[in-house]
Amino acid sequence: MGRFRREMYEAYAKQNSGEYTNDENYNAAYRKVKKIKGFYSHLKVYIIVNLVIIVSSLTRSHTGNMIDFSGLSQWHTYSTAFYWGIGLVAHGLSVFGSELFFSSDWEQKKIQKYMDKDASNKNKWE
């Protein structure tokens, strides 16, 4: 364990007065943060590289200082962004997983919603 991680864990353990005595919770949180950081780094590189590709598709015309925008209407300009975007979405789903659509308490919220709805319908006619 690195010095910084150990110091953070010790500060966290002091703050919670020994509530969590094992290292597993911290390690799981640390791995999750590393995955999220990796995804954001991937997203940053994706944006930079695809901006460079799009800007490089712009060319100067030979008849002056006019910029030729015809490269923006061609498929090959955006094909890298499209296919790489599919991979980026897959990476995002692997990092955020089911939390994106179904959080850990999603089921409880839905049950409570339907119970409240049924209760309001019963009280509606009384």
Side-chain angles (χ1 to χ4, degrees):
M1 188 184 306
R3 188 184 91 224
F4 181 69
R5 278 180 54 191
R6 186 175 23 255
E7 289 173 2
M8 281 184 57
Y9 180 72
E10 289 170 359
Y12 180 76
K14 280 183 188 177
Q15 183 181 14
N16 290 315
S17 65
E19 186 176 339
Y20 298 105
T21 57
N22 62 0
D23 204 27
E24 291 303 314
N25 292 327
Y26 178 81
N27 285 336
Y30 181 79
R31 284 190 301 270
K32 181 72 173 174
V33 168
K34 291 296 267 185
K35 287 180 180 180
I36 292 171
K37 184 178 176 184
F39 172 74
Y40 286 133
S41 295
H42 187 183
L43 180 64
K44 180 174 63 173
V45 171
Y46 170 83
I47 290 170
I48 292 169
V49 168
N50 286 298
L51 280 175
V52 168
I53 290 171
I54 291 170
V55 168
S56 69
S57 71
L58 301 173
T59 58
R60 292 192 182 271
S61 66
H62 298 291
T63 60
N65 288 334
M66 301 292 289
I67 295 177
D68 183 17
F69 292 97
S70 65
L72 293 179
S73 63
Q74 297 175 358
W75 164 250
H76 67 81
T77 303
Y78 305 105
S79 62
T80 303
F82 178 74
Y83 292 115
W84 190 355
I86 293 171
L88 187 65
V89 167
H91 186 182
L93 289 174
S94 73
V95 170
F96 298 108
S98 62
E99 294 175 12
L100 188 61
F101 300 109
F102 302 109
S103 63
S104 59
D105 60 344
W106 174 84
E107 188 175 335
Q108 290 298 324
K109 287 180 183 178
K110 282 295 186 184
I111 291 171
Q112 188 62 43
K113 176 183 169 185
Y114 288 122
M115 287 174 55
D116 293 343
K117 187 177 178 181
D118 288 342
S120 68
N121 284 339
K122 286 180 183 177
N123 294 333
K124 190 176 187 179
W125 301 105
E126 292 179 4

